[in-house]
Amino acid sequence: MKKHKYLIPLFLLLSTIIYSQTWNLRLKSTVELRSFKLTNKVEMSEIKLSGANIALYKGSAIVTQIQSDGNGEFIIEVPANGDYVLVVNYPGCNAKRFAVSTNGVPESIVNEKYSPSFGIEGVVMAKGLPGVDYSLLQQPLVKIAYSDKGKKFNHNQAYTDQMLSSLMGIRNAENTLMESFTSVNNAGDIALNNGDCPLAKTYYEKAMTIIPGERYPSDQLVRVGNCLKEKELAEKKAAEAAAKAAAEKLAQEKAAAEKAAQEKLAQEKAAAEKVAQEKLAQEKAAAEKAAQEKLAQEKAASEKAAQEKLAQEKAAAEKAAQEKLAQEKAAAEKAAQEKLAQEKAASEKAAQEKLAQEKAASEKAAQEKLAQEKLAQEKAAQEKLAQEKAAAEKAAQEKLAQEKAASEKAAQEKLAQEKAAAEKAAQEKLAQEKAASEKAAQEKLAQEKAAAEKAAQEKLAQEKAAAEKAAQEKLAQEKAATEKAAAEKLAQEKLAQEKAAAEKAAQEKLVQEKAAQEKLAQEKAAAEKAAQEKLAQEKAAAEKAAQEKLAQEKLAQEKLAQEKAAAEKAAQEKLAQEKAAQEKASQEKLAQEKAVAEKAAQEKLAQEKAVAEKAAQDKLAQEKAAQEKLSQEKAAAEKAAQEKLRRRQ
């Protein structure tokens, strides 16, 4: 019996040891694969990862090893009483580590039903990016251990928060790298869409150095190659078309030159046939000179009259515009001042009426409230409150009047300064534009006039010199030929016939020369008429431009007047708003000071009332205590008297 007595505790001890050594911590989680599609933007996707390797290490030895199922889920048993590291791995991705300690579980909670578990939030696997420091992932992301708080396994919150904060640095580095990669690709896409193939190629090659191995820039470089080929082909076609156009242009220019040469030869031949007599040439030169002098005089007189008329019209228009601007300005200023005065008077009247109404209402309410209180002390406090209130209102009104006067003065000074500055700037701008416009118009008119006259004179001189030279040369040649023929055929009978023919030819030639001279006169008259018409057209165009410029200046003056009126209106509106805001602020300040004064008076009245009531209560208590004492003394005296009477009996 004694032997069995020792076997029972031994059995219980062995059972406890067995249970403490056989329980396992069940870890479960889900593995997800995070992928990034990098183009000209970042597209992220996550899927449940099947086939991820989950290994449990104790030191460098593998305790157990499993894989995630089709839904990415896994459950692994961690033996009791040990320190382990759970490693989740997948090809091409950074491994994730979790520290697990099953030490420190009290034996008092271990029994045959003890089966602890812990769920790790989703394990996200992702491919690493070049240039990002992932050395932090060599450390456990989470530390799991038994916690006396709650009697269960949990993670170290402080350590987890620290790791999450550090992991944000990795995430930020990845985001920065991906944003750089996608922004460079986007720049390449823009360049490619705009047809700048070399620039697009530079961007895509740069993107390949940021994150090597990504397909998007490589695919886009194929498009860039096609673009470069198409551009080269287009440039080749353009060069061929340009060469063809140049050849066609050269042929056209050659044909035109040949045609011009033939026409010139025909003209020179016709001019050579027109032999002008010396007297006719002198009369023609004199007539041309007289006509030119007369034309120059008439032209100068016409231009002078036109300029004087234009100057008079311009001066009259400017004077009328300035007078109108001054009248409109004076009327606008007068209307603005009258409106400002009316608005000011109305605003002040409304403010005073409102202040009087609020004051009357406030005083009536205070008087009605104070009238309800019957005690003499409250009446005295009311009188004191009225005096303090009147003093506060008087001080506030005086302060409001001072602030209002100062604000109005400052606003008027500011308005006057802005108005003066705006008028000065407008006048200076108008004067500068006017001077520049007049100077430019005069210079342009003088230049165009001088150029037209010079070109006409040069052309007339060249044509005259060429015609005279050709006529003299042809006359000398024909004269020499005629003299030679007459000398050879002097003795022959044919001489008479040739002489008659020569005379006939001379007469015919004289008729032709006369016709040519008449044609020359007609052409000259037509050229002079065309020159006069051109001069008239240019003069009309110059006058039209001057009128348009005057109209533009008038529009500018009207625009200036409108802008000035708008500026004055804005300034007045701003002044009114500032005045209203200041009056509102002053009224609010007065109301606040009034409320503070009334509150202080009421609090003082309440304090004095409380003091009076307390004094009355103290006095009543003293009187009551005196009465009680008197009653006690009376009762004691009566009792003593009764005892004394009883003793006597």
Side-chain angles (χ1 to χ4, degrees):
M1 185 67 183
K2 188 175 181 180
K3 189 175 181 180
H4 291 291
K5 184 178 180 181
Y6 288 109
L7 288 174
I8 292 172
L10 181 60
F11 176 78
L12 293 174
L13 178 63
L14 290 173
S15 299
T16 303
I17 294 172
I18 292 171
Y19 288 143
S20 65
Q21 292 177 348
T22 57
W23 65 267
N24 292 327
L25 172 62
R26 175 172 291 185
L27 292 180
K28 53 186 177 180
S29 185
T30 303
V31 184
E32 296 177 348
L33 177 62
R34 177 178 295 166
S35 302
F36 294 95
K37 184 180 179 181
L38 302 179
T39 57
N40 55 5
K41 59 183 178 180
V42 179
E43 296 179 16
M44 185 185 75
S45 62
E46 290 184 355
I47 60 172
K48 305 297 182 182
L49 182 58
S50 172
N53 185 65
I54 298 97
L56 183 67
Y57 288 83
K58 187 172 186 180
S60 59
I62 297 178
V63 177
T64 183
Q65 185 170 285
I66 61 173
Q67 288 188 341
S68 58
D69 61 15
N71 294 323
E73 298 177 350
F74 72 87
I75 298 175
I76 191 167
E77 301 287 339
V78 182
N81 302 320
D83 293 326
Y84 305 89
V85 175
L86 183 70
V87 180
V88 181
N89 211 337
Y90 189 75
C93 298
N94 292 313
K96 302 295 176 66
R97 292 169 171 78
F98 304 86
V100 183
S101 176
T102 54
N103 291 320
V105 179
E107 293 182 358
S108 59
I109 68 170
V110 176
N111 53 41
E112 59 184 356
K113 295 181 179 180
Y114 183 67
S115 180
S117 64
F118 181 81
I120 302 174
E121 292 184 6
V123 180
V124 179
M125 308 300 291
K127 176 184 176 182
L129 296 176
V132 178
D133 184 9
Y134 294 101
S135 60
L136 182 67
L137 298 181
Q138 299 299 321
Q139 304 177 22
L141 300 180
V142 177
K143 290 185 176 180
I144 304 168
Y146 179 80
S147 175
D148 290 329
K149 184 178 180 180
K151 306 296 182 181
K152 62 180 181 179
F153 282 85
N154 206 342
H155 67 99
N156 187 329
Q157 186 66 49
Y159 180 84
T160 302
D161 292 342
Q162 180 183 356
M163 289 300 294
L164 288 175
S165 177
S166 300
L167 287 172
M168 285 303 297
I170 296 178
R171 176 58 60 83
N172 292 336
E174 290 177 335
N175 290 338
T176 301
L177 187 65
M178 289 188 291
E179 287 175 3
S180 175
F181 177 82
T182 55
S183 63
V184 172
N185 282 334
N186 188 49
D189 291 349
I190 294 172
L192 184 59
N193 292 332
N194 292 335
D196 194 346
C197 309
L199 182 60
K201 181 180 179 183
T202 302
Y203 280 123
Y204 293 133
E205 289 176 348
K206 182 179 178 182
M208 293 176 70
T209 63
I210 297 173
I211 304 180
E214 286 293 329
R215 288 191 56 184
Y216 187 79
S218 301
D219 294 341
Q220 293 299 93
L221 282 173
V222 175
R223 291 184 58 195
V224 169
N226 296 333
C227 174
L228 290 171
K229 290 178 182 178
E230 292 173 358
K231 197 168 185 180
E232 184 178 357
L233 182 61
E235 290 176 353
K236 185 177 179 181
K237 288 182 179 179
E240 291 175 354
K244 183 178 179 182
E248 291 175 354
K249 184 179 179 182
L250 183 62
Q252 291 174 357
E253 290 176 351
K254 183 178 179 181
E258 291 176 355
K259 183 178 179 182
Q262 291 174 357
E263 289 175 354
K264 185 177 180 182
L265 183 61
Q267 291 174 358
E268 291 175 353
K269 183 178 179 181
E273 291 172 356
K274 299 174 184 178
V275 179
Q277 297 177 358
E278 187 175 353
K279 184 177 179 180
L280 181 61
Q282 292 175 354
E283 291 175 353
K284 179 181 176 183
E288 288 175 355
K289 184 177 181 182
Q292 288 177 356
E293 289 175 353
K294 185 178 180 181
L295 179 62
Q297 291 174 358
E298 290 176 352
K299 181 179 178 183
S302 176
E303 289 178 353
K304 184 178 180 182
Q307 289 177 353
E308 289 176 354
K309 184 179 179 181
L310 181 62
Q312 291 173 357
E313 291 175 352
K314 185 176 180 182
E318 289 177 353
K319 184 178 178 182
Q322 289 176 353
E323 290 176 353
K324 185 178 179 182
L325 181 62
Q327 292 173 358
E328 292 177 350
K329 177 182 174 184
E333 290 177 352
K334 184 178 178 182
Q337 290 174 355
E338 290 176 354
K339 185 177 179 183
L340 182 62
Q342 291 173 358
E343 291 177 351
K344 179 180 177 183
S347 176
E348 290 177 351
K349 184 179 178 181
Q352 289 174 356
E353 290 176 353
K354 186 177 180 182
L355 184 61
Q357 291 173 359
E358 292 177 351
K359 180 181 176 184
S362 177
E363 289 176 352
K364 184 179 178 182
Q367 288 173 359
E368 288 175 354
K369 184 177 180 181
L370 293 173
Q372 295 172 359
E373 299 176 354
K374 298 179 181 181
L375 296 176
Q377 293 175 348
E378 293 176 350
K379 184 176 180 181
Q382 183 182 4
E383 292 173 353
K384 187 177 180 181
L385 175 62
Q387 292 173 358
E388 292 176 349
K389 181 180 176 183
E393 288 177 350
K394 183 178 180 182
Q397 288 175 353
E398 291 175 353
K399 186 176 180 181
L400 177 61
Q402 293 173 356
E403 291 177 350
K404 182 178 177 183
S407 175
E408 289 177 354
K409 183 179 179 182
Q412 289 174 355
E413 291 175 354
K414 184 178 180 182
L415 179 61
Q417 292 173 357
E418 291 177 349
K419 181 180 176 183
E423 290 177 355
K424 184 179 179 182
Q427 290 174 355
E428 290 176 354
K429 184 179 179 182
L430 182 61
Q432 291 173 357
E433 290 178 351
K434 179 181 174 183
S437 175
E438 291 176 354
K439 184 179 179 182
Q442 291 175 356
E443 290 176 353
K444 185 177 179 182
L445 183 61
Q447 291 173 358
E448 291 176 351
K449 179 182 175 183
E453 290 177 353
K454 183 179 179 182
Q457 290 175 357
E458 289 176 353
K459 185 176 181 182
L460 184 61
Q462 290 173 359
E463 291 176 353
K464 182 180 177 182
E468 290 176 352
K469 183 179 180 182
Q472 289 174 359
E473 289 176 354
K474 187 170 183 181
L475 183 60
Q477 291 173 0
E478 289 176 353
K479 184 179 179 181
T482 302
E483 290 176 352
K484 184 178 180 181
E488 290 175 351
K489 299 176 183 180
L490 184 62
Q492 298 177 2
E493 295 178 352
K494 196 175 178 180
L495 180 62
Q497 296 175 356
E498 291 177 352
K499 184 177 179 182
E503 290 177 352
K504 184 179 179 182
Q507 290 176 354
E508 291 176 353
K509 188 175 181 181
L510 184 61
V511 172
Q512 291 176 356
E513 288 176 352
K514 186 177 180 182
Q517 289 174 357
E518 291 176 352
K519 185 178 180 182
L520 181 62
Q522 292 174 355
E523 290 177 350
K524 182 182 177 183
E528 290 176 351
K529 183 179 179 182
Q532 290 175 353
E533 290 176 351
K534 184 178 180 183
L535 182 62
Q537 291 174 356
E538 291 175 349
K539 183 180 177 183
E543 291 176 352
K544 184 179 179 182
Q547 291 175 353
E548 290 177 351
K549 183 69 177 179
L550 185 61
Q552 290 176 355
E553 290 176 354
K554 185 178 179 182
L555 290 175
Q557 290 176 352
E558 292 175 353
K559 184 178 179 182
L560 179 62
Q562 292 174 356
E563 291 176 351
K564 182 181 176 183
E568 290 177 352
K569 183 180 179 182
Q572 291 173 358
E573 290 176 352
K574 184 178 180 183
L575 178 61
Q577 291 174 356
E578 291 176 350
K579 182 180 175 184
Q582 290 174 355
E583 289 179 351
K584 183 179 179 183
S586 299
Q587 290 174 358
E588 290 176 352
K589 186 176 180 182
L590 179 60
Q592 291 175 356
E593 291 176 349
K594 182 179 176 182
V596 170
E598 289 177 352
K599 184 178 179 182
Q602 290 173 357
E603 290 176 351
K604 187 175 181 182
L605 179 61
Q607 291 174 356
E608 291 176 351
K609 183 178 178 182
V611 170
E613 289 178 352
K614 185 178 180 183
Q617 290 175 358
D618 292 343
K619 187 177 180 182
L620 184 61
Q622 290 174 359
E623 290 176 353
K624 185 177 180 182
Q627 288 177 357
E628 290 177 352
K629 185 178 181 182
L630 184 59
S631 298
Q632 291 174 358
E633 289 176 350
K634 184 179 178 182
E638 289 177 352
K639 185 177 180 182
Q642 288 175 359
E643 288 179 354
K644 187 177 182 182
L645 183 59
R646 188 173 61 249
R647 287 175 185 170
R648 287 180 180 177
Q649 292 177 354

